[in-house]
Amino acid sequence: MGIRSLRKKKAREPQNNPLSPNSSMVSSASSPSLTPRRKASRLYANFYVILSVSLFVSVIVLLNISSYKLRAFERVISYHMIKVVNEFPHDPQAFTQGLLYAGNDTLFESTGLYGKSSVRKVALRTGKVEKLKKMDGSLFGEGLTLIGERLFQVTWLQKLGFIYDQKNLSKVGTFNHEMKDGWGLATDGKVLFGSDGSSSLYELDPRTFKAVSKQVVYYKGHQVHNLNELEYINGEIWANVYMTDCIARISPNNGGFLGWILLSNLRKGLVEAGHRDIDVLNGIAWDDEQKRIFVTGKMWPKLYEVKVFPINKPIEEGVIEQLCLRRPLTFT
């Protein structure tokens, strides 16, 4: 064999080069073989790349969902006005603090003012006071509600409450609650909901009167102060806002704000009719059987059955804040 043939033979022989395609160390996929440590490093690197991409995508999705939920929450706030269906007589001397419908065209009402506070049974159609329980002159009557055959009433600037027999308005007990003092009271038949003139909605145990929960009510970042008389209507709490012609609709589950009902036309109509000594709108009652809503005010000569309807026109920025929100009241 000549020198040239020997060189050709050597050129055809596989070289022991780990990067050579003919090397026995090359995998069947013709990629370089790696040590276990380098394989692990590459796997970890690929894992972290995939994880980072997944996290990035998840954050984007969550942001979009959160944004959607926020917009949905904003859309759920509704705005309503009212239409008067019926008008009924109402005692113009009644400083209405609590109001409820008890069936058979019968209302129960709690009135305030020192020396004039009372609990009364009232005929809806005539406004006649059929039974009346006067309170001690040192007490200022406030919110009223009914569970079973017992009326529950709270008093202003005190933690003291009273229990009455529905049939004859005889006092059958007292209780102490955990609110700052008593303003509004309502029930879903199982628990009590209360207000103390702040922006808080309380849930009270009707057996112990301890606060089960306390939720601060907000409208677009503003606390809704001066929550007053309450009514439970179709799974919602409706609350008069003291010193306004507005009713706030609130979720009893978490204190979430649901909407506004604007009733300024009622006061305007009374004033235009010459009733200039009336006080503020206060008093909401719900007839669950016939789905009727009743409202009145302190020292109003009329009680109204109303229906609510949505306001379809856009409301200008700041209008609701001006009409329905007030600074917190303080009393000493």
Side-chain angles (χ1 to χ4, degrees):
M1 182 181 294
I3 295 176
R4 182 176 297 179
S5 299
L6 181 61
R7 287 176 178 173
K8 288 181 179 181
K9 184 178 179 181
K10 287 183 177 180
R12 286 195 300 269
E13 289 178 353
Q15 303 297 314
N16 190 19
N17 183 351
L19 299 182
S20 170
N22 297 319
S23 171
S24 61
M25 298 176 65
V26 178
S27 69
S28 60
S30 298
S31 59
S33 178
L34 301 175
T35 64
R37 180 176 294 179
R38 292 182 66 187
K39 284 184 178 180
S41 298
R42 178 167 290 185
L43 287 173
Y44 280 125
N46 291 337
F47 171 76
Y48 284 121
V49 168
I50 294 171
L51 180 62
S52 299
V53 172
S54 299
L55 288 174
F56 177 77
V57 172
S58 299
V59 169
I60 296 299
V61 170
L62 287 174
L63 287 174
N64 287 334
I65 292 174
S66 299
S67 177
Y68 174 80
K69 285 185 175 180
L70 179 60
R71 291 194 300 271
F73 176 76
E74 290 175 348
R75 286 197 301 270
V76 90
I77 296 178
S78 63
Y79 304 89
H80 287 75
M81 294 188 70
I82 57 100
K83 176 183 179 182
V84 175
V85 178
N86 283 306
E87 297 182 5
F88 305 101
H90 181 250
D91 181 1
Q93 301 301 312
F95 197 78
T96 305
Q97 300 290 74
L99 187 69
L100 63 94
Y101 183 82
N104 298 319
D105 281 351
T106 299
L107 298 164
F108 285 96
E109 186 173 8
S110 171
T111 67
L113 298 178
Y114 292 113
K116 296 184 178 181
S117 293
S118 68
V119 176
R120 51 182 69 184
K121 178 182 179 182
V122 180
L124 169 66
R125 299 284 174 182
T126 64
K128 179 182 177 181
V129 178
E130 297 182 336
K131 287 187 174 63
L132 186 143
K133 176 72 174 181
K134 289 186 176 181
M135 301 176 67
D136 186 274
S138 64
L139 298 171
F140 196 114
E142 282 282 353
L144 184 74
T145 196
L146 176 68
I147 299 182
E149 296 185 352
R150 295 289 186 262
L151 291 162
F152 295 81
Q153 180 198 39
V154 288
T155 55
W156 188 46
L157 298 179
Q158 298 190 48
K159 297 180 181 293
L160 177 65
F162 297 97
I163 306 172
Y164 304 91
D165 186 295
Q166 175 190 2
K167 295 179 180 179
N168 55 23
L169 299 186
S170 62
K171 190 186 298 182
V172 296
T174 62
F175 62 90
N176 287 283
H177 55 78
E178 294 186 339
M179 299 185 292
K180 182 180 63 177
D181 70 275
W183 282 50
L185 209 58
T187 184
D188 63 355
K190 298 178 181 179
V191 301
L192 294 170
F193 299 97
S195 64
D196 59 9
S198 67
S199 57
S200 295
L201 177 68
Y202 294 81
E203 181 181 327
L204 306 173
D205 186 321
R207 295 168 299 177
T208 65
F209 303 98
K210 293 184 178 296
V212 177
S213 68
K214 175 184 175 182
Q215 307 288 344
V216 177
V217 179
Y218 288 90
Y219 167 71
K220 291 188 174 181
H222 303 283
Q223 289 189 40
V224 183
H225 297 289
N226 310 330
L227 296 177
N228 200 3
E229 212 268 328
L230 306 176
E231 185 67 43
Y232 185 87
I233 299 178
N234 280 343
E236 300 177 0
I237 296 294
W238 289 21
N240 286 118
V241 178
Y242 185 54
M243 298 301 291
T244 78
D245 293 313
C246 304
I247 291 176
R249 294 171 50 226
I250 306 165
S251 168
N253 300 321
N254 55 18
F257 197 86
L258 303 176
W260 288 109
I261 303 171
L262 310 181
L263 303 94
S264 56
N265 56 327
L266 296 182
R267 172 195 290 276
K268 181 180 178 182
L270 287 172
V271 172
E272 289 177 348
H275 303 288
R276 302 187 181 278
D277 294 330
I278 61 173
D279 209 295
V280 298
L281 176 79
N282 200 52
I284 311 166
W286 169 242
D287 175 4
D288 186 59
E289 184 177 341
Q290 299 187 47
K291 310 305 178 186
R292 295 185 294 176
I293 302 167
F294 304 99
V295 296
T296 190
K298 303 173 189 290
M299 307 180 78
W300 283 24
K302 293 183 179 182
L303 179 142
Y304 300 91
E305 179 188 347
V306 301
K307 288 188 179 297
V308 300
F309 62 92
I311 300 174
N312 295 320
K313 295 181 179 180
I315 297 177
E316 294 182 10
E317 189 70 27
V319 169
I320 292 297
E321 286 81 353
Q322 182 178 0
L323 290 176
C324 302
L325 298 183
R326 294 292 182 269
R327 294 181 180 274
L329 296 174
T330 56
F331 301 94
T332 57

